[in-house]
Amino acid sequence: MKFPERFSNLPAHVWPRLRALLDAHDGGGTPIHMTIGEPKHAFPAWVTDAIAQNAAGFNSYPPNDGSPELRGAIARWIKRRYGVEMDPDTEVMALNGTREGLYNAVIALCPETKNGQTPAILMPNPFYPVYMIGAISGGSDPILVPATAETGHLPDFTSVPEDILDRTTAAYICSPANPQGTVATHEYWASLIALAEKHDFMIFADECYSEIYRDTPPVGAMQVAESMGADRNRIVAFHSLSKRSNLPGLRSGFVASGADTIREVKQLRNYAGAPLPLPLQQAAAKVWDDEAHVEENRALYAEKYQIADRILGNVPGYVSPQAGFFLWLPVQDGEVAALKLWRETGVRVLPGSYLAQDVNGENPGKEYIRVALVAPKDETERGLEAIRDCLYSDV
């Protein structure tokens, strides 16, 4: 029996690859997990009450596009957060986690050819792995655009050659960026939107870290598009409760765009979607409507930013993140550093190369490790001190 080859040449996924690197060795102390971006702060206590109060909904098939209550809460949040009016019936769709939407976006929205050629999908490098798999699954060429210190840790889409831009159907962009924590400015978004209009491609704006920031709320893609008078169908924005509300297991995300775009996304989901159970949708609606717990959560991360700055601020090349909950720390070799940390201290971090792909024989993540600041404050502090003492003892 022959299997498809479109995924067969990909490297092992991030987490099996990390386990293969570390688990053959004993850790050097009590494990401190700083690898996966899985929030560990408490979620609102009333969430479980909301699920229980709506438990009868488990007896019904859930609405495929999201309940009216959930879509309404999402539209209200977009208005509060970005000042953009979205029709909850035609311009918003609930997702079973944003990974679903980010993966399906190419399949649902990108044509099979463009200008008689195989479509190109632009994405940052390093990147969230689902971007590449989405492109490949949609029969498109993934085009990796460097997001390095030299580019301000955001991809320079204007550097992409014209012949590739002319066959580009979409560009993935994450702001605040995973893994570097860089925030796209209004000017950056405006430049990208103008480029997309010139070459007629869509923008898949992954904004799942938008609510974890220091002082100033990151500007959003849809917000900038509205200020420019751009067609909102060109902007496809993705958000989630996973980071905002410490609810990765609730699997509540959404996609927002113009009505024409959402119609196409809904069409695919009608056949292939796995909607969120109704009691979870009802609870999620209440979470999207509440900001008090988000402010408390943001304050906890602000404390950990300060801890990281104090402990690692003297490390050459250290960049204090603008937003998100990752540190992108410079090392000589990420795999060597991650293994050394684990064997000598018990701290587990992720080699940056596992979030990137080689281009012309070079991997832009090789000389970095990604460190997640998701554990409680005291544990995070111990982990950061161990990283400093193990990897940067000479500074």
Side-chain angles (χ1 to χ4, degrees):
M1 181 169 61
K2 186 173 177 60
F3 293 100
E5 298 179 357
R6 56 186 174 272
F7 304 126
S8 60
N9 294 322
L10 295 174
H13 193 263
V14 170
W15 306 118
R17 195 174 173 187
L18 182 65
R19 289 192 292 270
L21 174 69
L22 301 183
D23 289 356
H25 306 272
D26 293 331
T30 302
I32 298 179
H33 296 275
M34 307 183 83
T35 54
I36 191 169
E38 183 177 65
K40 296 300 181 184
H41 297 166
F43 58 80
W46 42 261
V47 170
T48 49
D49 294 335
I51 295 171
Q53 291 163 7
N54 292 279
F58 284 122
N59 199 224
S60 304
Y61 286 116
N64 202 48
D65 303 334
S67 68
E69 294 84 358
L70 177 54
R71 288 184 282 107
I74 290 168
R76 288 191 294 274
W77 181 79
I78 295 172
K79 173 63 175 177
R80 290 198 311 273
R81 178 64 171 80
Y82 297 113
V84 178
E85 295 274 3
M86 305 293 288
D87 186 329
D89 294 325
T90 63
E91 296 182 312
V92 169
M93 190 185 81
L95 295 171
N96 194 337
T98 50
R99 180 166 60 175
E100 173 205 351
L102 290 165
Y103 174 78
N104 284 331
V106 177
I107 301 171
L109 298 172
C110 295
E112 291 81 358
T113 62
K114 184 177 179 186
N115 293 328
Q117 301 179 77
T118 300
I121 305 292
L122 311 181
M123 61 195 68
N125 191 26
F127 60 98
Y128 181 40
V130 74
Y131 305 160
M132 174 172 281
I133 303 307
I136 293 171
S137 299
S140 301
D141 291 335
I143 305 297
L144 302 170
V145 183
T148 62
E150 289 71 25
T151 66
H153 289 305
L154 287 172
D156 179 11
F157 291 115
T158 63
S159 70
V160 177
E162 290 279 322
D163 61 322
I164 293 178
L165 289 171
D166 286 341
R167 64 184 181 94
T168 294
T169 55
Y172 282 103
I173 172 68
C174 184
S175 175
N178 171 13
Q180 306 96 331
T182 308
V183 173
T185 63
H186 187 285
E187 292 74 21
Y188 182 95
W189 281 120
S191 174
L192 177 56
I193 293 168
L195 190 70
E197 290 180 323
K198 177 180 177 181
H199 292 275
D200 191 23
F201 61 82
M202 305 184 82
I203 297 170
F204 297 157
D206 180 357
E207 299 179 311
C208 290
Y209 297 88
S210 68
E211 303 314 287
I212 302 173
Y213 54 84
R214 289 179 180 267
D215 301 307
T216 304
V219 67
M222 192 68 71
Q223 180 181 5
V224 177
E226 290 291 294
S227 73
M228 298 171 62
D231 182 1
R232 65 172 56 176
N233 282 289
R234 192 177 297 281
I235 312 300
V236 191
F238 299 88
H239 286 265
S240 169
L241 290 181
S242 296
K243 282 76 177 175
R244 171 188 182 269
S245 302
N246 303 309
L247 285 165
L250 189 66
R251 309 311 303 140
S252 178
F254 72 79
V255 55
S257 187
D260 293 342
T261 296
I262 295 299
R263 181 190 65 240
E264 298 302 313
V265 174
K266 286 182 177 181
Q267 175 71 346
L268 175 61
R269 202 163 202 268
N270 285 335
Y271 288 96
L276 198 68
L278 187 55
L280 304 189
Q281 292 194 36
Q282 301 298 78
K286 295 181 180 297
V287 179
W288 281 112
D289 269 336
D290 182 75
E291 289 297 326
H293 76 280
V294 183
E295 294 171 2
E296 294 170 3
N297 186 45
R298 193 156 47 239
L300 294 175
Y301 282 114
E303 291 181 355
K304 289 190 278 191
Y305 289 151
Q306 293 171 3
I307 291 170
D309 291 349
R310 171 173 55 80
I311 294 173
L312 298 170
N314 291 330
V315 171
Y318 171 77
V319 177
S320 186
Q322 294 176 275
F325 49 53
F326 295 118
L327 301 180
W328 189 236
L329 299 180
V331 293
Q332 189 169 13
D333 184 297
E335 279 194 327
V336 172
L339 184 56
K340 175 181 173 66
L341 261 178
W342 170 241
R343 295 181 67 177
E344 295 185 10
T345 73
V347 175
R348 295 173 75 98
V349 299
L350 185 68
S353 59
Y354 292 9
L355 294 170
Q357 291 283 300
D358 290 357
V359 175
N360 298 324
E362 296 186 5
N363 187 307
K366 180 180 179 181
E367 296 178 354
Y368 292 91
I369 53 174
R370 192 188 77 174
V371 180
L373 305 179
V374 293
K377 181 174 68 173
D378 291 347
E379 185 175 338
T380 295
E381 185 169 15
R382 291 197 305 274
L384 294 178
E385 289 174 342
I387 291 171
R388 178 198 60 198
D389 296 343
C390 181
L391 301 181
Y392 308 107
S393 57
D394 57 341
V395 298

